[in-house]
RNA sequence: UCCCUGUUAGCUCAAUGGUAGAGCGAUCGGCUGUUAACCGAUAGGUUGUAGGUUCGAGUCCUACACGGGGAGCCA
């Protein structure tokens, strides 16, 4: 049975892409090998235009004339080509670009159905399968044996298989003609129980409502688009670091350090919550617990990843983190994903540059690879979604010290340009309204704020040299973006043991608890720096989705763990 | 956790303290190479829960539950 299997294309040496091209029913001339056309895609493409995993067929379709065929190949250049031969149907994204006349089988779910009495019965059935934003339309003729009994009863979300022929839609694009005369068929795989009460109707729903239907909401345009963008970004994160020689470190989810410090933690325990073992003083005896001491879900992989940084030079973590704070906002989750790189022999400036490069890489990638979804976000979710990313990619982020930032705020107040609810004073933390003013109204672009007063920052941040008396700062930075606020928080770490100890003391932390962290400063310490990037927040910023609960598949927040 | 606000048909929302309404969706019919289709008809309700005031409560009062916006905490 046609059609062709999906083919994974790999990039062996960063100069060319080799791969197998399905023989599109003879649509492309060229040398053949066991039924495959074997192209070599020349490096005339700018590097990074496309990626491993994209079928070559799509590239040929979207970029005609830029592919050279290499007849000398007897295989895919000795490189790995993986065939998913068990998948013998075509995805919607490939059907949309397949040559007219191809026989295809499609599998997917019905979005909409419209009927016509013309030509002895005709139904237009739009189906989707997640492979791209758009649906493809099946034009089903009334001559199918199950036309009246099944096809005209199809409703939103019915699962079907369709055999048909790719034809051109009169108004542009591809569609699939399904008629008995051409061995076409519609097979219903799964019906929808009661179309009247199916929660996802072909009409606009509010985000709040869809949140209550989290198991079904991915079937909508919006959540399908969010899902593809999220995936695209996750892959881009790994690619960004991998291409720059970073190692991906799997830091632990469970931690027995009660010293992570960044807020309330979830307890991890196997003790009986009602009859737990007691210490003589009446407290819970955690020595009888699974880990022999009190343990928690991690709030950050940073301290662990620093240890790996002190041998591997460039490392990062990308995993879930947990905060048991009672935060109820559109920017907070109890379970969220964080990207935390750590670089050795680096200062704050290098750290900021890495963060800026990474953000721009992510923006560029999503604009290229998910243009279809980004177009949708710009049309329906946030008008400037595409425009502002394009804009940001082109110019350097602004670097402003905390002290300069405070001056800007004070000037704005003095000249009556702006009124704030909270006062601005050097040494205190900036409020949301202050940060928003800086990035949204004053600078109107992403801003890297640096060198904060030490009193408002964590113990591990490096003390700046040559500070004014009473104005001691640390090498910390926050990246603020319009609409979201803080998206990155990072710092150069304190690599000098005496200074670190001094800070631990000042903040009344127990040195003994940090023995292994302090060891890093005793044995071959080097200047190093890193940052944390909230993955959901970057998705929010890119897509314009207003609530963070709508950019993660199953959000976890206070009183929210239904799905 | 605090402040503000909301909860009425499958969904989005109306309804001076006096008979519960519309649009969309669904179902049926008509028209149509349709694509946010269009036209007509039908079905669909213990007004978030529990109390209270009143001759009478969707509407006023109290408590609770849940949703949303903002703040704090942060990413």
């Amino acid at each position: 049975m046609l059609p062709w299997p999906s083919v994974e294309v790999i990039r062996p040496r960063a100069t060319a892409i080799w791969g197998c091209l399905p023989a599109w029913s003879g649509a492309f001339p060229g040398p053949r090998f066991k039924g495959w056309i074997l192209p070599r895609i020349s490096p005339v493409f700018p590097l990074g235009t496309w990626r491993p995993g994209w079928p070559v067929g799509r590239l040929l379709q979207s970029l005609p004339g830029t592919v050279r065929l290499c007849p000398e190949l007897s295989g895919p250049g000795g490189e790995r080509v993986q065939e998913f031969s068990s998948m013998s149907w075509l995805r919607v994204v490939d059907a949309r670009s397949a040559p007219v006349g191809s026989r295809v089988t499609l599998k997917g779910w019905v979005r909409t159905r419209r009927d016509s009495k013309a030509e002895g019965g005709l139904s237009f059935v739009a189906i989707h399968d997640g492979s791209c934003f758009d649906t493809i339309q099946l034009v089903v003729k009334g001559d199918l044996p199950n036309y009246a009994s099944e096809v005209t009863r199809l409703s939103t979300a019915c699962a079907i298989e369709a055999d048909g022929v790719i034809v051109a839609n009169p108004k542009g694009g591809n569609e699939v003609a399904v008629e008995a005369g051409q061995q076409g068929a519609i097979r219903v795989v799964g019906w929808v129980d009661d179309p009247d009460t199916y929660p996802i109707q072909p009409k606009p729903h509010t985000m709040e409502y869809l949140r209550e239907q989290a198991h079904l909401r991915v079937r909508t345009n919006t959540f399908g688009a969010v899902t593809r963008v999220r995936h695209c970004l996750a892959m881009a994160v790994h690619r960004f670091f991998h291409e720059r020689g970073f190692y991906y470190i799997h830091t632990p989810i469970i931690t027995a350090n009660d010293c992570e410090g960044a807020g309330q933690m979830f307890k991890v325990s196997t003790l009986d919550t009602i009859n737990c073992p007691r210490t003589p003083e009446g407290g819970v005896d955690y020595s009888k617990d699974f880990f022999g001491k009190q343990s928690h879900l991690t709030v950050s992989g940073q301290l662990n990843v620093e240890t790996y940084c002190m041998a591997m030079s460039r490392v990062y973590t990308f995993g879930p983190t947990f905060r048991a704070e009672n935060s109820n906002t559109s920017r907070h989750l109890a379970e969220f994903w964080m990207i935390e790189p750590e670089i050795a022999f680096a200062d704050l400036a290098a750290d900021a540059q890495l963060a800026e490069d990474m953000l721009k890489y992510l923006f560029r990638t999503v604009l290229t690879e998910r243009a279809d979804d980004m177009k949708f976000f710009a049309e329906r979710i946030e008008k400037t979604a595409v425009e502002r990313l394009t804009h940001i990619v082109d110019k350097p982020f602004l670097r402003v010290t905390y002290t300069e930032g405070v001056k800007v705020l004070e000037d704005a107040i003095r000249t009556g340009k702006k009124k704030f609810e909270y006062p601005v004073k050097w040494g205190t933390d900036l409020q949301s309204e202050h940060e928003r003013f800086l990035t949204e109204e004053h600078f109107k672009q992403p801003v890297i704020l640096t060198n904060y007063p030490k009193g408002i920052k964590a113990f591990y941040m490096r003390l700046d040299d040559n500070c004014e008396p009473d104005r001691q700062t640390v090498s910390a930075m926050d990246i603020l973006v319009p609409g979201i606020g803080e998206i990155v928080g990072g710092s150069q770490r304190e690599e000098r043991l005496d200074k670190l100890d001094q800070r631990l003391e000042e903040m009344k932390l127990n040195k003994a608890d940090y023995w292994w962290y302090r060891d890093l400063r005793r044995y071959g310490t080097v200047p190093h720096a890193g940052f944390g990037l909230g993955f959901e927040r970057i998705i929010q910023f890119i897509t314009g989705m207003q609530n963070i609960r709508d950019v993660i598949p199953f959000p976890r927040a206070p009183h929210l763990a239904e799905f």
Side-chain angles (χ1 to χ4, degrees), chain A residues 71-303:
Chain A
E72 72 276 13
L73 279 180
S74 63
E79 304 288 348
R80 180 177 58 102
V81 170
Q82 190 181 349
E83 295 181 17
F84 298 97
S85 51
S86 62
M87 294 193 180
S88 55
W89 68 95
L90 200 60
R91 297 183 310 157
V92 168
V93 64
D94 297 323
R96 289 179 58 84
S97 59
V100 168
S102 311
R103 304 203 126 271
V104 298
T105 295
L106 296 170
K107 305 189 184 197
W109 292 267
V110 174
R111 263 279 159 67
T112 56
R113 190 199 91 233
R114 286 171 293 276
D115 302 321
S116 170
K117 287 279 174 355
E119 305 176 34
L122 203 54
S123 287
F124 302 94
V125 182
I127 64 168
H128 67 101
D129 65 359
S131 59
C132 58
F133 180 82
D134 294 296
T135 55
I136 193 161
Q137 177 166 275
L138 311 174
V139 184
V140 186
K141 284 273 163 65
D143 64 353
L144 294 190
N146 62 344
Y147 181 78
S149 61
E150 295 193 321
V151 174
T152 57
R153 283 177 48 226
L154 289 174
S155 61
T156 304
C158 284
I160 62 170
E161 297 176 5
D163 300 334
V165 177
I166 299 285
V167 296
N169 185 301
K171 292 182 185 166
N174 274 355
E175 59 183 20
V176 181
V178 182
E179 43 193 296
Q182 298 210 38
Q183 287 90 48
I186 296 287
R187 293 177 293 278
V188 180
V189 178
W191 287 102
V192 166
D193 246 13
D194 177 5
D196 187 27
T197 58
Y198 174 61
I200 310 294
Q201 296 163 356
K203 52 164 284 186
H205 288 290
T206 60
M207 295 297 166
E208 293 80 25
Y209 172 72
L210 290 171
R211 224 167 279 152
E212 292 165 11
Q213 309 290 338
H215 58 311
L216 301 174
R217 66 178 182 171
V218 69
R219 304 171 180 212
T220 62
N221 278 334
T222 304
F223 287 89
V226 168
T227 303
R228 280 182 297 271
V229 165
R230 187 179 171 112
H231 166 83
C232 167
L233 287 168
M235 293 299 112
V237 164
H238 288 302
R239 212 161 49 230
F240 173 84
F241 286 124
H242 178 68
E243 287 171 357
R244 284 159 184 74
F246 282 69
Y247 296 106
Y248 174 27
I249 310 302
H250 296 112
T251 51
I253 305 284
I254 298 173
T255 172
N257 301 318
D258 51 3
C259 56
E260 296 208 18
Q264 283 296 112
M265 302 170 84
F266 289 100
K267 292 188 176 75
V268 174
S269 176
T270 54
L271 294 178
D272 185 329
T273 48
I274 296 166
N275 295 309
C276 59
R278 299 282 178 180
T279 59
E281 294 79 38
V284 178
D285 184 359
Y286 286 106
S287 70
K288 301 280 196 311
D289 204 350
F290 188 89
F291 295 106
K293 52 160 85 171
Q294 203 171 359
S295 51
H296 300 95
L297 294 180
T298 185
V299 293
S300 163
Q302 183 201 314
L303 299 192

